[in-house]
Amino acid sequence: MTGKNVKRVAVFISGRGSNLEALIAASKVRDCPYRIVAVLSDNSEADGLELAARGNIETFAIPRSDFGSRSEHEAAVLNALNAIEPDIVCLAGYMRLLSADFVGQWKGRILNIHPSLLPNLPGLETHKRALSLGMRIHGCTVHFVSEGMDDGPIIGQAAVVVRTDDDEDVLAARVLKAEHRLYPEMLRLVATDRIRMSSGGATIFDDASAPDCDDIVLISPVPLKR
Ligand code: GRF
């Protein structure tokens, strides 16, 4: 991968930054088609900012409380972003809904990771809700961002089996592990132009006609072979 083909990625975070960490780690592997050039946060205390600084990645703390209105805050974020000039923006636990105007300006270039198999369970407390619904499969989704919350064309998903003895924390940890595998891989697909956002959803540009997994997987709460 030559320098000019390597995509510049800005990551937006609000907290812990474990997905950021996974993206940074993946970007260090030889021939990775992207590099993380900046990390922006609406929370100056976000652990992920320290993590980025330790990796010599430029950081921008832009707290909402420094601004009188949501739109002024977003204008400051947009300004910073326009100065960074990334090719792709990755939301990784960024707890703010971007306005239609913001999304419009960066259309097809913003990705998000969400801890459920969308369109199931948008919003918060996804693990708790998956357990109380008795779902046997849960997981995470990387998607292009559109104006709605946890909405937009799906790029890829990781399925996670729900075990009968799972509690919320155990399930959350298993999904998070899946997130750390999924996000770098899906960003790679976007960075190498193998998938792009289009008016009909996401358009795939690749020779492969089948997903990289078995077509059917049965998930039962009890063993099927007795
Ligand atoms: C992840 O579960 C992600 O899916 C969601 O927010 C969480 C962020 O975790 N959008 P981290 O900050 O990446 O550790």
Side-chain angles (χ1 to χ4, degrees):
M1 181 80 31
T2 61
K4 78 175 173 35
N5 292 331
V6 173
K7 298 288 191 327
R8 295 165 53 79
V9 175
V11 182
F12 282 22
I13 60 163
S14 292
R16 182 175 55 185
S18 70
N19 276 288
L20 166 67
E21 192 171 15
L23 293 175
I24 294 173
S27 74
K28 302 234 164 97
V29 173
R30 197 166 159 259
D31 283 341
C32 183
Y34 56 85
R35 75 189 165 94
I36 313 300
V37 295
V39 175
L40 287 86
S41 181
D42 60 334
N43 168 16
S44 45
E45 307 289 307
D47 289 341
L49 284 176
E50 230 174 82
L51 186 93
R54 278 204 301 275
N56 290 323
I57 296 168
E58 202 174 2
T59 59
F60 298 80
I62 310 176
R64 167 70 180 84
S65 51
D66 285 3
F67 299 86
S69 67
R70 179 188 162 198
S71 60
E72 285 170 69
H73 175 252
E74 203 181 68
V77 173
L78 204 48
N79 262 342
L81 200 58
N82 288 332
I84 298 161
E85 291 189 318
D87 298 297
I88 301 166
V89 176
C90 285
L91 308 184
Y94 187 65
M95 300 306 283
R96 285 186 182 280
L97 192 60
L98 300 172
S99 71
D101 187 42
F102 191 115
V103 172
Q105 291 191 43
W106 284 84
K107 199 169 182 181
R109 292 181 290 164
I110 314 179
L111 275 54
N112 182 42
I113 185 151
H114 180 73
S116 80
L117 294 174
L118 290 172
N120 283 329
L121 308 177
L124 299 173
E125 301 199 316
T126 56
H127 312 305
K128 191 175 171 183
R129 286 150 68 206
L131 285 172
S132 67
L133 286 163
M135 292 171 74
R136 303 288 171 228
I137 308 174
H138 185 35
C140 52
T141 303
V142 173
H143 63 97
F144 289 110
V145 171
S146 63
E147 293 156 24
M149 189 183 58
D150 301 325
D151 187 31
I154 291 171
I155 299 169
Q157 299 183 306
V160 168
V161 173
V162 181
R163 303 185 66 94
T164 44
D165 57 354
D166 275 348
D167 63 21
E168 203 182 327
D169 291 344
V170 170
L171 182 57
R174 193 176 309 121
V175 173
L176 193 63
K177 209 164 151 191
E179 293 183 35
H180 297 162
R181 280 177 59 188
L182 182 69
Y183 213 172
E185 290 296 339
M186 296 306 106
L187 175 55
R188 169 182 282 273
L189 293 187
V190 175
T192 51
D193 288 323
R194 278 180 291 164
I195 185 160
R196 239 178 268 156
M197 185 162 150
S198 52
S199 50
T203 305
I204 299 158
F205 302 90
D206 207 325
D207 294 337
S209 59
D212 184 18
C213 59
D214 288 345
D215 285 348
I216 298 174
V217 180
L218 299 188
I219 312 289
S220 159
V222 291
L224 294 173
K225 281 186 208 139
R226 290 213 169 261

